[in-house]
Amino acid sequence: MGSTTGQFFIQRPRFNRVFLQNNNFHLPKRVQFPVLPQSSNFHVPVSSISQWGSSFLECICASESVSGSFERETVQEYLPEPIQMVETKEATIADVLKQSDSFLPHVVLASTILALVYPPSFSWFTSRYYAPALGFLMFAVGVNSSEKDFIEAFKRPDAILAGYVGQYVVKPLLGYIVGIIAVTLFGLPTPLGAGIMLVSCVSGAQLSTYATFLTDPPLAPLSIVMTSLSTATAFFVTPMLSLLLIGKRLPVDVVGMVSSILQIVIAPITAGLLLNRLFPRLCNAMRPFLPPLSVLDTACCVGAPLAININSVLSPFGLTVSLLIAVFHLSAFIAGYFHSGSVFHNAPDVKALQRILSFETGMQSSLLALALANRFFQDPLVSVPPAISTVIMSLMGFALVMLWAKKKE
């Protein structure tokens, strides 16, 4: 090395405290600098400084100066490895929690199999838990939304109208066709055909909002508006459609319907929005834990109706009904997707609109249909299609979530 030297001042370390005791630096990781004599100047080869670069550890001499020269190889060995490892570990845990939504289709499938093999695993999750469970999913959407999102949603009345038409025109028509096929071509009992039609007459499913939130978060408020509108008018539209398609008047408890809307949709969303507005730090701390809890919540909503109605599902006609329900939902998903594509083909976010309207058309409140079947129809066979629909709808919907999420990546 050349004889040219320079002077510079050394500052406080950013990572670890370095104690100057008896003119020795005590550093971690077996690194020891040579003993340096006291002097008024600190001389270091200038040519070395440029080579050390960012690997040189800055340290402080608060009350006295030291002089000498450091060996370049010794300084380069000191790296803040423990801190880097801790940061990587924390980021990994957060990523795992946030990405647990990607396991939702697998969890739904596993819960379906478990409900079939061992029904007591879900039979404890009775109908009284449905409203709180679905309300939690809406709360998770509200925490991740803001009031501005809903203002923007109401600025798209054409999309809201298209979702309403898909929910109460396209879907009931498909349900009527599949119900007729079930009775005439497959020779199933009339109550089973009526159950399929009843599934097509109910309002949109809250799970469609959650599915939209997983694929297109900015459009989740639009899905909430669509689902809320179809649910709010269900007390009139559902009996009318049931009378038209099934041929029997289906009375609906208007007060109970309004209470259900408040519990499942309005109250949880409002609570999530207010919490996000007033306590943003608390919401930031909660967000990593909401996806895994939502996955477990959805699994219970899917497995419970299947476990409770296991005897009817495993009956000789259960497989035929399952296939017909699958055809009904598949055709509804496809019809909603291409219907919206033809209407909004010039929209800049046409693909996102196709996805959201596909969810709105293909997914409906099968739990509501199940409750209506148990309450207003004497024949227990009417409740079999809604119970199967809950499982088929969820499997198909979240399979599309996984497919479309991968395509967006």
Side-chain angles (χ1 to χ4, degrees):
M1 297 179 62
S3 58
T4 305
T5 61
Q7 299 181 1
F8 66 94
F9 182 73
I10 303 184
Q11 299 179 352
R12 189 178 186 85
R14 292 189 299 266
F15 302 101
N16 292 302
R17 292 185 178 180
V18 180
F19 296 94
L20 185 62
Q21 298 175 349
N22 299 324
N23 293 327
N24 286 320
F25 288 102
H26 299 281
L27 298 174
K29 293 189 61 181
R30 74 179 184 282
V31 180
Q32 292 292 329
F33 288 105
V35 178
L36 304 174
Q38 295 185 355
S39 175
S40 58
N41 294 321
F42 180 28
H43 300 281
V44 177
V46 173
S47 59
S48 313
I49 298 174
S50 60
Q51 296 178 8
W52 291 348
S54 60
S55 300
F56 186 79
L57 175 67
E58 297 180 352
C59 58
I60 185 170
C61 296
S63 60
E64 55 185 347
S65 299
V66 296
S67 65
S69 62
F70 298 100
E71 295 185 9
R72 181 177 58 223
E73 295 79 9
T74 304
V75 177
Q76 289 176 336
E77 290 181 3
Y78 181 72
L79 292 174
E81 295 178 359
I83 294 179
Q84 291 178 346
M85 292 174 62
V86 171
E87 292 178 350
T88 303
K89 183 178 181 181
E90 292 177 352
T92 302
I93 294 175
D95 290 341
V96 170
L97 291 175
K98 292 179 181 179
Q99 295 177 2
S100 58
D101 288 330
S102 61
F103 299 101
L104 186 56
H106 308 84
V107 173
V108 170
L109 178 61
S111 64
T112 301
I113 297 174
L114 184 59
L116 292 172
V117 175
Y118 187 65
S121 59
F122 288 103
S123 58
W124 59 270
F125 197 84
T126 58
S127 58
R128 63 178 179 176
Y129 297 117
Y130 293 162
L134 295 176
F136 175 78
L137 296 179
M138 295 301 99
F139 173 77
V141 174
V143 168
N144 289 276
S145 305
S146 65
E147 61 275 10
K148 295 180 180 179
D149 298 328
F150 291 92
I151 295 176
E152 292 297 324
F154 280 105
K155 293 180 179 179
R156 310 190 70 168
D158 52 347
I160 296 175
L161 178 61
Y164 197 84
V165 170
Q167 190 66 242
Y168 280 138
V169 177
V170 177
K171 182 166 59 64
L173 180 61
L174 293 174
Y176 178 77
I177 294 174
V178 175
I180 294 297
I181 292 175
V183 176
T184 58
L185 296 183
F186 291 89
L188 295 178
T190 301
L192 290 176
I196 296 175
M197 296 179 187
L198 180 61
V199 169
S200 67
C201 294
V202 295
S203 58
Q206 283 73 32
L207 288 179
S208 64
T209 297
Y210 187 58
T212 300
F213 170 71
L214 296 179
T215 54
D216 301 280
L219 292 183
L222 181 61
S223 176
I224 293 172
V225 172
M226 292 179 181
T227 303
S228 300
L229 181 61
S230 66
T231 305
T233 57
F235 72 93
F236 170 74
V237 179
T238 297
M240 183 184 66
L241 289 175
S242 300
L243 178 64
L244 178 65
L245 301 182
I246 302 176
K248 179 179 180 181
R249 184 177 298 275
L250 183 65
V252 177
D253 185 359
V254 177
V255 177
M257 182 68 68
V258 173
S259 176
S260 177
I261 296 171
L262 293 175
Q263 293 177 15
I264 298 175
V265 181
I266 306 300
I269 290 293
T270 304
L273 289 172
L274 290 176
L275 196 66
N276 191 20
R277 179 67 178 269
L278 301 177
F279 305 98
R281 293 185 179 179
L282 178 60
C283 289
N284 291 333
M286 292 172 53
R287 284 191 183 98
F289 300 97
L290 292 178
L293 292 176
S294 299
V295 170
L296 295 177
D297 190 351
T298 304
C300 291
C301 292
V302 172
L306 186 61
I308 295 173
N309 297 273
I310 190 64
N311 293 330
S312 299
V313 173
L314 296 180
S315 61
F317 54 78
L319 179 60
T320 304
V321 175
S322 299
L323 292 176
L324 290 172
I325 289 293
V327 171
F328 162 68
H329 283 293
L330 181 61
S331 60
F333 279 117
I334 294 175
Y337 187 84
F338 287 102
H339 163 68
S340 57
S342 61
V343 174
F344 301 103
H345 61 277
N346 291 327
D349 56 348
V350 58
K351 291 298 181 181
L353 286 174
Q354 285 183 290
R355 288 190 289 266
I356 181 178
L357 290 174
S358 178
F359 288 136
E360 290 297 319
T361 307
M363 304 178 76
Q364 66 285 319
S365 184
S366 300
L367 294 177
L368 176 60
L370 181 60
L372 295 176
N374 291 331
R375 182 173 181 179
F376 300 109
F377 286 87
Q378 296 180 354
D379 197 318
L381 291 180
V382 180
S383 63
V384 175
I388 297 177
S389 172
T390 303
V391 178
I392 300 296
M393 172 196 69
S394 301
L395 290 175
M396 286 188 173
F398 291 116
L400 288 176
V401 168
M402 185 172 60
L403 176 64
W404 284 333
K406 286 185 177 181
K407 284 187 175 181
K408 288 180 65 178
E409 292 177 359

